């Protein structure tokens, strides 16, 4: 049986070379799309699964942040037997850490504090050192191989001393106790070094929060455990006898908490201040759907051409039935042919995947590759069967259901039903392709909108310098800010200078509780608070729409002045009026009274995925209890001769802070379009690539069908030409049906694509309208290509000499 199927398949492929090439090419492209999308999805699903206890590790958090109060970790282990370990992690310094060895000095941004049991929970490899003791000493440090190479060259780094200086902490000496192996890429947080958590310079309770990971017992039930912890939490927030201020005053019967599986964080966690940039599981659903639809289009091509050629194979089927073949044997024949074609298509699809994987890796920023193992071969085998059976199903059922007498005479009576099925497949193919093109257009428009939207501040020619190590305390409180900025403003290329804790594009959670003093019914309102200096608004070009700026407040020593954005003013119910007295409570740090001195226009400090939040601006002086230094020095430059201006800033920074490594970035880069919207950028690229392939497959099938139709109507075209029909008349006649089908596809794709585009834009708080014209535009493109494809085939037939066509009639 197999030999017979193989021989007939080879004969048919040799006899109908064009159709065979179209079928194999279409299926191979569809299979390659599915393989590449499958590799992309598998890559995203692999995150954090390499850890030994991956299925038992959970991240504990409270509120809308991925972290929780730092002191809770040890208490959880002590009070709940189902919790075996609690690891606490926090960043060493957001602004970076200076590391020095002898005369070598550099800045490292990815250092983490971690408790000593870090390697008991996470399976990150060590090539040197003992994971059980590597973080036991407060003066230890575990570094990456790259850092070891930069610091020590080829010398064994174990036991070597390094000087580290993070933020405003004093310089301290640590010794290398371990060297990390190559870190797996599939982890939701990355680091180049670990410092013991016990070495945190301000003490354990003063840091407030930490990322806390738990190992649960094998029989623990996370849902029940989270419920128990939510009732346990309020009792952990009462100051102890020693006056520990890490515990805030809480008067609630339960506090919501979250136990998130480690393996879910990458695709399901989208909280503020994540340790790394996560993806969205919805993106994988979209990718998978696109791959499946492209494969369906390829299978539809095969069914379309197979049913179109059914009349040519009718006599073959009739003869087989006459000599004794039953319907099931014939069905196996046609399904076998489809499976053999699928085998060839899968082989070609794997080769296409290998060819185009480097391009896909460049588009999505991955290093995807095919691993040829038993699992991959089994997947291919199942895929061959599914695609073969799916693509050969309708021809097998359609051709085998007729009686031999009818098939030996004429199939014309049954062909209208077959033609209706083919038309339905064409409509499906073009509806999918048009919908994908429309979605791509919408995503492109949204990305253009986000890139060009007025963010409420001027980002061009604004440079940001790391200034965390400038010692402002060498100046008196009267001049600590002015002296440095006056020095910089002497350069005529520097227009404005400001000092700040936060710049737009940086995520932060510092908040203050505000309450209007003179309004009896006023309720406390928690508002995000940004600490700036008196020149910040002018430097960034943020509009003041009511009241006065901090420049006037600073001049009159009104240090407790507050400036609100429009959203915060609406939240507090004051509109655009200023001068109200407010009580400000920054948790355990400070409580004080102040005055609302101004209102600024709303400006974006986060991506357009998020609505502009209520925001308060305060002066960062010792008076407000948060220290007298800024993390960033922000300067607006003249656009001319920027390199020389940057060199001037480098020299001046070396005077102010000799230990400060010179690092700069421009604000329009810091508010990084590619990073803030990389998911959407990747989605657009994938949509664009695979919608293009869907269109290619649809037109490949249309080309084959048009070729077949033209061949079957060659004698009709010859007679029409003899009777006086022009080339235009013939092309119009041949194109009419196909144009009608594409128009139907546009009508069907319109509402579906509109709903899909609305779903894609749902993640944006500020977005474009989908536009009623989006689908018609993509449909017009598809219609033009369809006319070109069918018109070329029809024109070729119409230009043929009728005598050559009709000589045998």
């Amino acid at each position: 049986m197999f030999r017979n199927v193989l021989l007939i398949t080879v004969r048919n492929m040799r006899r109908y070379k064009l159709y065979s090439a179209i079928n194999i090419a279409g299926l191979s492209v569809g299979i390659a799309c599915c393989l590449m999308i499958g590799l992309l999805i598998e890559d995203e699903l692999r995150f954090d699964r390499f850890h030994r206890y991956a299925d038992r590790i959970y991240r504990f958090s409270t509120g809308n942040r991925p972290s929780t109060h730092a002191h809770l970790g040890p208490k959880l282990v002590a009070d709940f037997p189902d919790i075996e370990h609690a690891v606490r992690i926090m960043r060493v310094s957001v602004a970076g850490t200076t590391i020095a060895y002898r005369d070598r000095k550099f800045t490292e941004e990815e250092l983490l504090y971690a408790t000593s049991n870090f390697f008991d929970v996470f399976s990150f490899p060590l090539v040197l050192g003992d994971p059980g003791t590597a973080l036991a000493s407060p003066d230890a440090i575990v570094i990456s191989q790259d850092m070891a190479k930069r610091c020590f060259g080829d010398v064994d780094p174990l036991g070597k001393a390094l000087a580290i200086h993070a933020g405003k902490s004093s310089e301290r000496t640590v010794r290398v106790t371990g060297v990390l192996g190559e870190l797996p890429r599939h982890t939701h947080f990355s680091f180049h070094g670990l410092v013991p958590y016990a070495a945190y310079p301000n003490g354990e309770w003063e840091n407030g929060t930490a990322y806390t990971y738990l190992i649960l017992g094998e029989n623990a039930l996370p849902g029940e455990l989270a419920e128990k912890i939510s009732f346990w939490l309020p009792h952990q927030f009462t100051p102890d006898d020693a006056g520990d201020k890490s515990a805030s005053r809480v008067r609630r019967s339960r506090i919501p908490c979250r136990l998130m599986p480690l393996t879910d964080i990458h695709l399901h966690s989208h909280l503020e201040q994540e340790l790394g940039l996560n993806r969205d599981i919805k993106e994988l659903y979209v990718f998978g759907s696109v791959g499946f639809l492209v494969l369906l289009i390829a299978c539809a091509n095969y069914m379309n051409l197979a049913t179109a050629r059914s009349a040519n194979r009718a006599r073959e089927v009739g003869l087989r039935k006459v000599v004794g073949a039953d319907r099931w044997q014939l069905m196996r024949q046609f399904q076998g042919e489809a499976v053999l074609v699928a085998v060839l298509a899968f082989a070609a699809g794997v080769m296409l995947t290998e060819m185009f994987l480097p391009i896909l890796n460049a588009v999505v920023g991955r290093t995807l590759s095919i691993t040829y193992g038993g699992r991959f071969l089994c997947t291919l085998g199942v895929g061959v069967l599914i695609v073969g059976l799916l693509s050969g199903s309708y021809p097998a059922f359609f051709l085998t259901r007729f009686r031999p007498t009818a098939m030996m005479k004429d199939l014309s009576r049954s062909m209208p039903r077959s033609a209706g099925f083919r038309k339905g497949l064409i409509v499906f193919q073009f509806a999918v392709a048009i919908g994908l093109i429309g979605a791509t257009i919408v995503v492109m428009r949204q990305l253009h909108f986000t890139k060009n939207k007025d963010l409420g501040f001027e980002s061009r020619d604004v440079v940001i310098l790391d200034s965390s190590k400038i010692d402002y305390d060498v100046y008196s409180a009267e001049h600590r800010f002015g002296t440095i900025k006056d020095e910089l403003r002497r350069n005529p290329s520097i227009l404005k200078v400001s000092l700040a804790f936060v710049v737009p594009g940086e995520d932060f959670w510092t908040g203050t509780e505000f309450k209007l003093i003179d309004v009896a019914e006023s309720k406390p309102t928690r508002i995000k608070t940004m600490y700036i200096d008196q020149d910040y608004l002018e430097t960034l070009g943020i509009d003041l729409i009511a009241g006065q700026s901090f420049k006037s407040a600073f001049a009159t020593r009104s240090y407790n002045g507050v400036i609100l954005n429009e959203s915060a003013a609406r939240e507090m119910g004051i509109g655009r009026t200023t001068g109200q007295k407010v009580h400000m409570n920054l948790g355990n740090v400070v409580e004080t009274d102040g005055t609302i001195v101004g209102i600024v226009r709303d400006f974006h400090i986060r991506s357009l995925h998020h609505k502009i939040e209520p925001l308060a601006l305060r002066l960062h002086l010792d008076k407000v209890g948060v220290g007298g230094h800024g993390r960033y020095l922000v300067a607006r430059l003249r656009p001319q001769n920027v390199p020389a201006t940057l060199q001037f800033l480098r020299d001046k920074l070396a005077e102010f802070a000799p230990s400060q490594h010179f690092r700069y970035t421009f604000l329009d880069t810091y508010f990084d379009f590619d990073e803030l919207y990389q998911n959407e950028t990747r989605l657009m690229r994938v949509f664009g690539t695979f919608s293009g392939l869907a269109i290619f497959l649809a037109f490949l099938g249309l080309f084959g069908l048009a070729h077949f139709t033209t061949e079957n109507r060659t004698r009709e075209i010859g007679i029409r030409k003899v009777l006086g029909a022009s080339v235009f008349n013939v092309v119009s006649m041949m194109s009419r049906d196909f144009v009608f089908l594409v128009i139907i596809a546009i009508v069907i794709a319109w509402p579906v694509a509109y709903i899909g585009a609305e779903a894609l834009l749902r993640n944006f708080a500020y977005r474009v309208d989908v536009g009623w014209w989006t689908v018609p535009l993509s449909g017009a493109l598809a219609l033009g290509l369809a006319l070109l494809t069918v018109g070329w085939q029809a024109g070729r037939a119409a230009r043929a000499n009728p005598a050559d066509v009709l000589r045998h009639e």
Side-chain angles (χ1 to χ4, degrees), residues 504-616:
E506 182 181 13
D507 202 3
F508 69 100
W509 61 46
T510 305
T512 304
E513 192 177 82
F514 291 88
K515 185 178 184 299
L516 294 175
I517 294 176
D518 298 328
V519 180
E521 63 274 14
S522 175
K523 296 181 179 180
T525 304
R526 188 81 177 174
I527 298 177
K528 269 191 172 182
T529 306
M530 180 185 289
Y531 291 94
I532 61 175
D533 76 346
Q534 67 272 24
D535 295 309
Y536 189 83
L537 299 181
E538 289 186 8
T539 303
L540 266 64
I542 298 171
D543 293 334
L544 184 74
I545 59 176
Q548 61 179 343
S549 69
F550 282 139
K551 214 157 194 179
S552 302
F554 190 81
T556 58
R557 289 179 169 76
S558 301
Y559 299 138
N560 281 333
V562 182
I563 295 178
L564 303 178
N565 69 350
E566 292 175 288
S567 296
R570 284 194 299 269
E571 184 82 9
M572 297 191 67
I574 63 172
R576 292 193 175 187
T577 59
T578 60
Q580 295 90 340
K581 301 293 183 182
V582 290
H583 179 73
M584 299 178 287
N585 179 8
L586 189 61
N588 298 309
V589 180
V590 66
E591 291 189 35
T592 186
D593 293 337
T595 304
I596 298 174
V597 299
I599 309 290
V600 295
R601 195 176 304 281
D602 278 344
F603 62 96
H604 291 271
I605 58 173
R606 301 173 70 189
S607 72
L608 300 189
H609 297 104
H610 309 280
K611 293 191 70 173
I612 294 178
E613 300 173 89
L615 181 69

Side-chain angles (χ1 to χ4, degrees), residues 90-380:
M90 63 180 300
R91 293 184 178 94
V92 170
S93 174
V94 178
T97 301
T98 301
I99 296 183
Y101 175 70
R102 295 180 179 172
D103 58 341
R104 301 174 188 172
K105 183 182 295 185
F106 58 93
T107 299
E108 180 55 63
E109 296 185 2
E110 296 192 17
L111 284 183
L112 299 176
Y113 286 112
T115 48
S116 59
N117 59 345
F118 179 86
F119 293 104
D120 294 332
V121 175
F122 297 107
S123 302
F124 293 107
L126 281 184
V127 294
L128 293 175
D130 180 1
T133 60
L135 296 173
S137 169
D139 296 326
I141 187 171
V142 176
I143 61 176
S144 66
Q145 290 176 299
D146 177 67
M147 193 187 302
K149 188 75 174 177
R150 282 184 287 166
C151 290
F152 310 109
D154 296 327
V155 178
D156 183 358
L158 285 183
K160 296 292 190 298
L162 289 173
I164 64 172
H165 187 186
K168 291 293 289 182
S169 63
S170 58
E171 186 175 289
R172 51 194 296 267
T173 300
V174 294
R175 295 194 176 275
V176 178
T177 56
V179 177
L180 294 160
E182 184 177 354
L183 295 181
R185 184 174 59 83
H186 298 93
T187 176
H188 76 281
F189 65 93
S190 61
F191 53 93
H192 293 158
L194 297 169
V195 179
Y197 191 84
Y200 188 74
N202 294 330
E204 179 166 333
W205 305 122
E206 294 295 329
N207 59 38
T209 60
Y211 300 90
T212 303
Y213 295 83
L214 311 175
I215 286 189
L216 304 190
E218 294 182 359
N219 300 319
L221 300 175
E224 292 183 7
L225 182 60
E227 189 68 17
K228 292 177 183 177
I229 293 174
S230 69
F231 286 101
W232 168 86
L233 274 175
H235 304 288
Q236 314 310 311
F237 292 92
T238 303
D240 58 22
D241 295 336
D244 173 26
K245 290 185 179 181
S246 66
S248 304
R249 295 187 297 274
V250 175
R251 297 185 179 91
R252 280 181 285 178
S253 60
R254 67 189 296 266
I255 297 176
C257 64
R258 186 184 297 107
L259 284 177
M260 175 166 278
L262 179 71
T263 53
D264 286 357
I265 292 175
H266 178 66
L267 293 173
H268 297 275
S269 183
H270 311 288
L271 304 174
E272 295 183 18
Q273 295 287 330
E274 293 279 358
L275 274 173
L277 183 65
N278 295 333
R279 304 292 185 199
D280 193 335
I281 188 67
K282 296 176 185 175
E283 188 180 341
L284 301 193
Y285 294 149
V286 171
F287 289 167
S289 300
V290 170
F292 180 69
L293 290 173
V294 171
L295 184 59
L296 279 184
I297 290 176
C299 293
N301 276 347
Y302 183 94
M303 288 189 279
N304 233 339
L305 293 176
T307 52
R309 289 173 45 224
S310 57
N312 295 340
R313 300 196 66 180
R315 291 182 178 82
E316 174 196 341
V317 175
L319 283 173
R320 285 179 178 274
K321 282 195 170 186
V322 167
V323 297
D326 60 29
R327 187 181 182 189
W328 299 109
Q329 287 176 322
L330 293 171
M331 289 177 65
R332 286 197 296 271
Q333 167 73 39
F334 285 104
Q335 290 284 22
E337 290 181 21
V339 169
L340 287 174
V341 171
V343 170
L344 295 176
F346 264 84
V350 172
M351 289 189 287
L352 286 175
T353 302
E354 290 284 14
M355 288 173 57
F356 290 102
L357 263 183
I359 299 175
L360 180 66
N361 286 332
V363 168
V364 300
R366 288 284 188 263
T367 54
L368 307 176
S369 62
I370 297 177
T371 302
Y372 294 94
R375 181 184 173 190
F376 177 74
L377 296 177
C378 287
T379 303
L380 278 187

